Structures are given as C-alpha cells and as structure tokens.
C-alpha cells in the first residue's frame, strides 16, 4: 500500500528494469520462414515483403549458415511450385526429387543442426490454390489427409526434423502420426497449425508463393470452410486439444499479434510448446509504416516479438527473425 509500496522503485533505471524483467527474447526463440524457388543463384525480393526473398536452393543454404551463426535454430520452408507441376491431386507434393525434398536434403547436409520444418499443405501444388483436393465443389477432407501423409513421409525421408501441417483438415494430425510411424519415422515430430484463422493478414505470403485461391464459380472462393472464423475463441482451444490428443508435439496459433488472447488461452490449455506465426501482413504493416517514418522500425519489431513471447509463445515464426537476432546479439 502506498507510500510503503512504490512500483516505480523497480523502474528507476535500465539495470533495475533488466533485473526484474519477466520476459526475455533470444535468437533461439525464433524460427525463420523461407521461400524456395527453382533455379540456381536465384534471389528475388517479394514486393509486398521488403527484405524477404525467394531463393534457389544454393542461396537458401548460404542463408541457413548465416541464420545459424546468429543463433537461430529452426526454419520453416515453403516452395514456389512451377505452374506446370500443379494439379488437383497434389502429386508433385510427394515427388522424392521435388523442390521441397531437394531443399530439405540440401539444408540438412549443409547444416545438420538446423531444425527444418517443411510446410505440409497442398495449396502450393494446387491449380485451385486450396489446401485440399476438390471434388463436387468441396474440399475433400479425408482424401486430402491421405495426400498429406504421402507428402509428410516424403519430407521425413528427405531429412525433415518436424512436419508442419498448415491445412486445417480434420484428423490430419492423427493420420500423419500413423503414417510417419508406419514408415519408421517415430522421431519426426509434428508441429500442427492448430488454430489457423481465415485471416486477411496472409496476403503477402500468398504473393510469395502465388497460392491464393483462384476465382472460379465451381469452387469455394476462400478458405473459410477449413480455416477458423476469427470471431471464435473456444474453438481454438478445442482444436489445439484435439491435435495434442492426436499426437502433435507442438501446436501453433496463426496469426500472431491480433490473436494474443488466443495464444494465452491455448498456452493455458495444452501441455506442449506453443508456436506463434507472426505473419506476412503483420510484417508488411510495420515495414510500410517505418518506410513512411510513422513508426520506429526496430522498437516496434522488438515490442511485438516480446509481446508474443509474453503471451505464451515458446517459439515465434517470424520474418523479423534475422533482423531481431542481429539486434539481440549486439
């Protein structure tokens, strides 16, 4: 009770503030999303994501070494698939010599200690831009799961440490766990996108992979039949608990900053690490505002990352990973 208790005594200077700080960040808290393209010595900046590039495998490996030297220990990887390899079945997704599989092998060969978590979803391989196989105007859940199992096993065979299903099909974690175990990959983990919302924050990501749903009358115009309604909170807890019961080793909440209430709810409900995806739209907004001089880029970046960690994240997948690690190392 005042005047015996004065909260400001613990805020007098930075040394005292650092002594009592409840949350801290380190480079090992970050996972860096990477976009991989065909070719050699290829690097193209994504217009809506300044500072983020599509890279060929050789340049991706070079970047992996830089990330590891900064203290970043995990990457989640996505591939931009050639149009002629896309169909409605996802066949290219489990090609043992596909772009994703070759990228996994190259990264693990160059930097074995880097944890590689490839994306498991059909949208980069789909002529429709959806995360599943379409039949009779609907995204088929169970046939999609069967395709995802083939995809995940091919990633494990290439050397993936975790597979990261981002599709939001019902029951896919169980099917993936069964499929990986049957193939002998008991130690390959599953980081499930458990509470992935149908969000408008994903626009720049879809630019990066050219994976937005196509506009056609015979198919769903968006992903709202499988991604979650952003009005819902309890549903996120339910989805996360289901995934843990089905064998998920980590669960993810996506997006990040606009969903910190969900992060805390999920953290309180599950007994596995919670990953948060600080998504492309959240990244692009900071970059755009900073370019106009409206915000201090580094201060806002670090504040948002700290807030995600404070909310309960064990791991943050963020396009700021490299920039933040450089600041933290200084």
């Amino acid at each position: 009770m005042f005047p015996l208790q004065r909260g400001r005594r613990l805020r007098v200077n930075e040394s005292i503030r650092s002594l009592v700080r409840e949350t801290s960040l380190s480079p090992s808290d970050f996972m860096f999303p990477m976009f991989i393209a065909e070719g050699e010595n290829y690097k193209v900046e994504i217009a809506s994501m300044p500072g983020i590039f599509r890279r060929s495998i050789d340049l991706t490996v070079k970047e992996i070494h830089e990330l590891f030297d900064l203290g970043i220990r995990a990457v989640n990887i996505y591939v931009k698939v050639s149009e002629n390899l896309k169909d409605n079945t996802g066949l290219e997704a489990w090609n043992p010599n596909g772009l994703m599989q070759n990228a996994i092998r190259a990264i693990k060969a160059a930097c074995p200690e880097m944890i590689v978590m490839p994306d498991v979803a059909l949208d980069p391989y789909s002529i429709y831009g959806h995360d599943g196989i379409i039949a009779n105007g609907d995204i088929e859940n169970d046939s999609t799961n069967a395709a995802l199992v083939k995809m995940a096993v091919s990633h494990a065979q290439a050397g993936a440490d975790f597979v990261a299903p981002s599709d939001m099909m019902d029951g896919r974690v169980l099917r993936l766990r069964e499929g990986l175990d049957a193939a002998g990959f008991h130690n390959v983990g599953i980081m499930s996108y458990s509470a992935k919302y149908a969000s408008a924050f994903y626009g720049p990501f879809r630019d990066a992979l050219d994976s937005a749903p196509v506009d056609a009358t015979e198919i769903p115009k968006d992903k709202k039949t499988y991604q979650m309604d952003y009005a819902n909170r309890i549903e996120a807890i339910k989805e996360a608990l289901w995934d843990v019961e089905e064998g998920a080793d980590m669960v993810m909440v996506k997006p990040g900053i606009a969903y910190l209430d969900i992060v805390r709810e999920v953290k309180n409900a599950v007994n596995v690490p919670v990953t948060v995806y600080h998504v492309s739209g959240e990244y692009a907004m900071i970059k755009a505002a900073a370019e106009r001089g409206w915000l201090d880029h580094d201060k806002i970046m670090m504040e948002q990352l700290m807030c995600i960690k404070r909310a309960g994240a064990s791991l943050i997948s963020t396009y700021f990973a490299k920039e933040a690690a450089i600041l933290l190392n200084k």
Side-chain angles (χ1 to χ4, degrees), residues 32-39 42 46 53-58 60 75-83 85-86 90-107 116-126 129-130 151 154-155 158 164 166 193 204-212 277 319:
F32 191 45
M34 304 187 77
F35 300 112
I36 301 171
E38 295 282 4
Y42 175 85
I46 299 159
F53 299 84
R54 297 189 201 102
R55 293 180 174 86
S56 52
I57 291 176
D58 56 325
T60 297
V75 292
N76 51 332
I77 57 176
Y78 305 85
V79 292
K80 187 179 188 305
V81 179
S82 301
E83 290 298 318
L85 297 176
K86 296 182 180 183
L91 182 63
E92 178 63 18
W94 54 89
N95 177 359
N97 295 309
L99 180 58
M100 177 67 87
Q101 290 77 5
N102 287 335
I104 295 168
R105 279 191 288 269
I107 293 170
V116 178
M117 302 190 188
D119 180 53
V120 176
L122 295 186
D123 50 331
Y125 302 90
S126 169
H130 273 288
M151 186 178 183
S154 76
H155 293 174
S166 64
Y193 289 56
F205 176 94
R206 291 172 182 168
D207 292 343
L209 294 184
D210 190 23
S211 62
Y277 203 142
Y319 302 98

Side-chain angles (χ1 to χ4, degrees), residues 188-204:
V188 172
I190 298 174
M191 182 191 70
S192 174
Y193 289 56
S194 298
K196 182 179 180 180
Y197 284 86
S199 171
F201 282 104
Y202 304 150

